[in-house]
């Protein structure tokens, strides 16, 4: 293999979608039949996530947790789609084992109903930069992609093989992004529904001065840092399905 071919191969391995990019399209076989991503999920949010391998303990704990929370994510208009580079029959056997034998964190008899992608070829994993050679050349790291109703990547989080994901944070990020979209605000550190939100910084000197002297329902620490209250029920009623 010449130097140019080696470089191209490395670029393929490390390339990943960026925030704001169109989610790379693919058709894949899953435990729930064939899917076309992201077109099958147009109009809804999706979380596409990878795990290193079937029949591994950290992955098992994560899949049980995701399955346990699936309805909560669905209520927030979000689909879950898992992936590893194992084959379909391995996936099926592993998910049956989880349901029949595994107890974790108070959960048991957990049935994973969301699709788990077969990716033996690593085609999808490479499109999404899920293979990180510095961590493993044969296993996907714990990548998480938030894809919005228009098929745009809105956030991505990567974890090493040894670190299980924080599912409270995944849900918080999903709700926060939808809140930003619906109310044209930003969310500060550690934000949760009911907390104050951030109003976009003033774009001119006149607006900055007006904000500092206005009696409008804004709490301005300085011209660039203004917050306002946003009712928790208003937020959740606008996002969660009844």
């Amino acid at each position: 293999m010449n130097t140019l071919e080696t470089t191209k191969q490395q670029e393929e391995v490390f390339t990943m979608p960026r925030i704001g990019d169109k989610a790379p399209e693919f058709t894949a076989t899953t435990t729930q039949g064939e899917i076309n991503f992201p077109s099958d999920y147009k109009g809804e949010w999706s979380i596409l996530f990878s795990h290193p391998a079937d029949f591994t303990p950290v992955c098992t704990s994560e899949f049980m947790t995701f399955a346990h929370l699936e309805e909560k994510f669905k209520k927030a208009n979000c689909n879950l789609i898992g992936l590893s580079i194992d084959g379909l029959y391995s996936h099926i056997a592993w998910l049956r084992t989880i349901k029949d034998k595994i107890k974790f964190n108070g959960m048991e008899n957990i049935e994973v109903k969301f699709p788990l992608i077969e990716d033996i070829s690593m085609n999808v994993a490479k499109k999404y930069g899920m293979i990180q050679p510095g961590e493993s050349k044969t296993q996907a790291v714990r990548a998480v992609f938030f894809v919005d109703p228009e098929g745009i990547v809105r956030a991505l989080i990567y974890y090493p093989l040894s670190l299980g994901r924080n599912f409270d944070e995944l849900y918080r990020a999903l709700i926060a992004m939808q809140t930003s979209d619906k109310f044209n605000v930003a969310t500060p550190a550690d934000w949760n529904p009911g907390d104050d939100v951030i109003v976009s910084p003033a774009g001119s000197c006149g607006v900055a001065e007006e904000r500092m002297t206005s009696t409008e329902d804004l709490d301005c620490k300085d011209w660039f840092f203004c917050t306002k209250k946003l009712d928790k029920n208003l937020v959740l009623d606008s996002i969660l399905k009844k």
Side-chain angles (χ1 to χ4, degrees), residues 129-168:
M130 295 169 173
I131 305 297
Q132 303 276 312
E135 182 77 352
S136 173
K137 295 181 180 180
T138 60
Q139 293 181 320
V141 295
R142 302 182 195 281
V144 184
F145 288 85
F146 294 81
V147 180
D148 73 13
E150 299 303 317
I152 304 300
V153 176
R154 295 292 297 277
L156 49 136
I157 307 173
Y158 277 70
Y159 299 78
L161 304 182
S162 61
L163 178 60
R165 285 164 267 226
N166 183 308
F167 290 83
D168 288 338

Side-chain angles (χ1 to χ4, degrees), residues 116-135:
L116 173 51
I117 294 169
E118 173 188 64
D119 194 30
I120 296 174
S121 66
M122 301 188 193
N123 286 339
V124 179
K126 287 179 179 179
K127 279 187 175 184
Y128 280 81
M130 295 169 173
I131 305 297
Q132 303 276 312
E135 182 77 352

Side-chain angles (χ1 to χ4, degrees), residues 178-233:
Q178 293 191 54
T179 299
S180 293
D181 288 353
K182 289 180 182 294
F183 297 96
N184 193 29
V185 295
T187 52
D190 294 329
W191 180 88
N192 277 290
D195 295 344
D196 290 356
V197 293
I198 291 177
V199 180
S200 298
S204 69
C205 294
V207 173
E209 182 178 357
E210 180 182 339
R211 283 191 178 176
M212 294 303 295
T213 59
S214 174
T215 57
E216 187 182 349
D217 189 22
L218 293 178
D219 180 10
C220 291
K221 309 302 183 186
D222 205 334
W223 66 269
F224 69 94
F225 193 160
C226 294
T227 63
K228 69 177 182 179
K229 297 190 178 304
L230 188 58
D231 182 71
K232 178 178 181 178
N233 291 332

